[in-house]
Amino acid sequence: MRLAKKLFSSKKLYDLPGTEKRFVEAMRENAMFHYAHCEDYKRILDEAEYDPSKISTLDDIIDLPFLPTLYFKHHVLQSLPDKKMLIKATSSGTSGAMSNIGFDFSSLWLGLKMVIRVGKYHKLWSLKPQNYIIFGYQPTKENNTAVSKTALGFTFFAPAKSRTFALEKSPSGYKLNWERVEKALAKCAKSHLPMRTIGFPAYTYFLLKDLKERGVHYQMPKGSMVTLGGGWKQFYAQQADKKEFYALVKDVLGIDEDHVIEFFGAVEHPILYTDCRCHHFHIPCYSRIFIRDPDTMRPLKNGNPGLINLTTPMLRSAPILSVMTDDLGVIHDEPCDCGLSTPWLEIIGRVGVADIVTCAAGAEKYLKDE
Amino acid sequence: MILYRGELYENSRQEELIARLKDDLWTPFSEGKALDRDKLIEACDTLATRVLGGEYDDIVKPLLEMLSISEEEFQSMAGLFRKEGLKYKCEIELCDEERIIDGKIRRKRMPLGVLMHIAAGNVDALPAYSVIEGLLAGNVNILKLPMGDSGISVKLLSELVAIEPSLKDFIYVFDVPSTETETLKSLADLSDGVVVWGGDMAVRAARDLTEVNTKVISWGHKLSFAYAEEDCTDQELYDLAKSICLTNQLLCSSCQGIFLNTDSREKQSAFARRFFEIFKKASSDSHPADYGMRARNAINLYNEKLERHVTGNDILNEDGVSVIVTDDPELKLSYLYRNVWVRRLPIEKVISLKKHKNHLQTAAVLTSDPEKRKKIEEALTAAGLTRITTAGHMSRPVSGESHDGTYALREYSRIVEIEIS
């Protein structure tokens, strides 16, 4: 993992050309490691007649067989023994099936370095205690979902004065406790300390909309932030126009648009993407993204929509170095007003069709799941 | 939108109108006003003529576009509402209107009474069609609109009442969300029968909603397939492929895959390759499938290939169509949108399909040998299939055709016997 460490020690978070050599080398090191330690991964590369030791350019990484997230939902892949896994994370399971990915110490260490650098760049670190409102699950022993873990993790960017969780466990599963959230918001507005909300964009959006309809408006203390993570999930159809969303945040919480920050990441690709002040997910030096044509699986030129293929050499514990998501996206390389010249990823939505109409037995459920 | 005794109301009036319902609902029965079926059929015909004449194109055209229904399919669907179609349907389904039994019993068919229709959103004019079927049998109808209804059902039904005002006491439309179970229960309690369209979940929900003394008539989701002999013609395979492309395998009657009468994997693979080439041609002759679905299937198929070591499946995949060759003989849903499976099922094992019971619907038979065809038809009908068609006609609507093995109008009726004194 020497070369991965080198990549994750890069000082310039968004310098892609300057880190390309390091990235390619770390990918080769990572691919060779998994090829040697994960039988199933070796089989996949062998079947594709792919030799990981020959990786020497980004084009070689394009040719490296990718694994769809669906594959991780059906199979557990690991390159280290169970006892080395400090954490097991599962995807949040929009449908029934979930991916199980283990994280060992060295992978987590790289993750920590990444989080520190990303936090610094995006000015997320603060010594001032904050009141946190988390639109997510309260982590429990049984709840391994990465979303709940990262949500809790975010509360360490700045010391927590208080933490309020919107989803609470009840005998019939998790349910939203609106009353508790509203009470906490009212309290935050009166506090002299900043407030930070963390959670699913959809929940945040629906909560704010609900508050607005009831005529509730707050002026949150200076430095307050709305942070969003976990994707829009099954709510893509209702995905609010981003401008409308920022206007809603301003209207209900009195927080300016530049204090609304969205994160993006996945259990199968635990890289922390953070949007810039223009709300673009620039690609950090730890990963490279390819957009592929669904009909040929070949990469498309920037600017064209296709399947999002995420690559990173971060993990030693599991062969997630090249993962195909269920999302469609575009890579933009037009200049961004935030000053960064690296490309940024726009996520368009999940694959599939919205509002499907069918009467074939089982089709409705099948199309909704996965 | 609500339709109540011929008047349109905003949804905000729903609670108040539902509260009034129990006083109004039985008016036709208490006043002895039976529905005049001839007038109903005339009104439907007038409405169908107007729809086909383009009077509602502002709603109809975008809908056809959205559901990718071709003009031709639309014409044949609208034909079901025409006078000839409806008369023919009634002739077949209600042939036993009145007769004398054993010289001393007068038997007659009567409407069930009040029918509540829980419609699905899968075909947009379907909720209205369901109500028209209820009307043909003489019932008072309460329609619960499907979620996200486009408004076309209320529009069509209110036009129908405008054309034939005597129908006003027979049609009620409400927009109650499926989550408001108490309200739905109260409507079901007022009904003699509940007609439910939808998947297994919807059917189960309707059963939970109803008391034991309410009849549940369910038009559930089904699975359909093709059964082929190796001697079938390329034209048959092309017709089948074309119907798969046309419906994107989303209908009850759409082909999910092909069972081949063989127990040889070699023959199965050769057949799959033959069909695959024809399938690609049929797909390129059709409208391209939705991009998002193509992307989804591309991932599924890529994953299938990675899992070959476990499943033993062969995957033929190109130009947005795929054929999966698999060893298990189970009837399963396909990946939809131009992806079929090919399985081996020797004729003597066709009976194993019987375990799917009420999920079975249409099977297309592909063979050029009339003797074999007859045998296959017998085996399939014995296993529980209710429609056997030729290769290209799995999803063609036909006036007077039964529905999932029964006649809707008979399901919406009851037989009354009166001893002659």
Side-chain angles (χ1 to χ4, degrees), chain B residues 119-121 123-125 127 143 145-155 173 175:
Chain B
V123 180
D124 247 278
L143 169 64
L145 288 171
M147 198 177 79
D149 182 75
S150 63
I152 192 159
S153 297
V154 175
K155 177 90 184 157
V173 182
D175 201 357

Side-chain angles (χ1 to χ4, degrees), chain A residues 40 43-44 47 65-68 70-71 74-75 292-295 297 300 305-307 324-326 328 351-353 356-364 366-370, chain B residues 67 121-123 198-199 220-223 249-253 256 290-300 302-303 305-310 320 333-337 359:
Chain A
D40 203 18
R43 177 190 59 81
I44 290 167
E47 277 177 8
F66 53 82
L67 301 188
L70 182 62
Y71 194 77
H74 295 174
H75 310 268
R292 294 186 188 260
D293 179 345
D295 292 331
M297 291 298 182
L300 291 160
L307 291 164
M324 178 62 86
T325 66
D326 298 334
L328 291 168
V351 295
V353 204
I356 195 78
V357 287
T358 177
C359 57
E364 235 172 3
Y366 159 70
L367 289 166
K368 246 181 250 162
D369 290 355
E370 287 180 6
Chain B
L67 300 169
N122 57 356
V123 180
H221 291 178
K222 309 287 170 195
L223 278 183
Q249 300 167 278
L250 292 171
L251 304 181
C252 292
S253 55
Q256 301 299 327
D290 178 272
Y291 182 83
M293 250 352 262
R294 273 199 343 257
R296 181 187 169 116
N297 283 330
I299 297 176
N300 281 332
Y302 182 90
N303 191 64
K305 286 185 181 169
L306 291 184
E307 290 181 341
R308 253 183 317 206
H309 67 296
V310 185
L333 185 73
S334 66
Y335 282 127
L336 309 173
Y337 286 85
H359 275 148

Side-chain angles (χ1 to χ4, degrees), chain B residues 71-222:
Chain B
E71 187 62 33
E72 193 191 351
E73 280 176 277
F74 172 62
Q75 293 276 346
S76 83
M77 270 160 66
L80 299 178
F81 291 83
R82 300 300 294 266
K83 195 194 291 188
E84 310 76 54
L86 293 176
K87 275 205 169 267
Y88 187 53
K89 182 180 171 71
C90 291
E91 245 171 63
I92 290 178
E93 301 193 22
L94 302 177
C95 56
D96 206 11
E97 284 280 39
E98 198 156 338
R99 68 163 67 186
I100 303 293
I101 307 289
D102 202 18
K104 46 185 186 278
I105 291 171
R106 188 158 58 90
R107 168 184 288 177
K108 63 174 189 171
R109 188 205 64 86
M110 287 191 72
L112 207 54
V114 178
L115 279 185
M116 174 184 178
H117 303 257
I118 302 178
N122 57 356
V123 180
D124 247 278
L126 187 98
Y129 183 74
S130 187
V131 169
I132 288 171
E133 283 192 320
L135 290 169
L136 285 171
N139 292 283
V140 171
N141 298 271
I142 305 171
L143 169 64
K144 172 219 172 295
L145 288 171
M147 198 177 79
D149 182 75
S150 63
I152 192 159
S153 297
V154 175
K155 177 90 184 157
L156 289 174
L157 292 172
S158 66
E159 291 290 317
L160 197 65
V161 179
I163 296 166
E164 181 48 62
S166 68
L167 295 174
K168 78 176 170 55
D169 287 334
F170 292 86
I171 305 174
Y172 297 89
V173 182
F174 295 105
D175 201 357
V176 186
S178 301
T179 45
E180 285 186 21
T181 42
E182 282 311 308
T183 313
L184 293 176
K185 254 192 180 125
S186 69
L187 292 176
D189 282 346
L190 291 170
S191 310
D192 297 278
V194 171
V195 179
V196 55
W197 298 77
D200 293 355
M201 292 261 285
V203 172
R204 193 171 295 278
R207 286 187 184 159
D208 288 345
L209 212 61
T210 44
E211 294 293 334
V212 280
N213 60 355
T214 309
K215 181 177 178 181
V216 176
I217 303 121
S218 57
W219 305 118
H221 291 178
K222 309 287 170 195

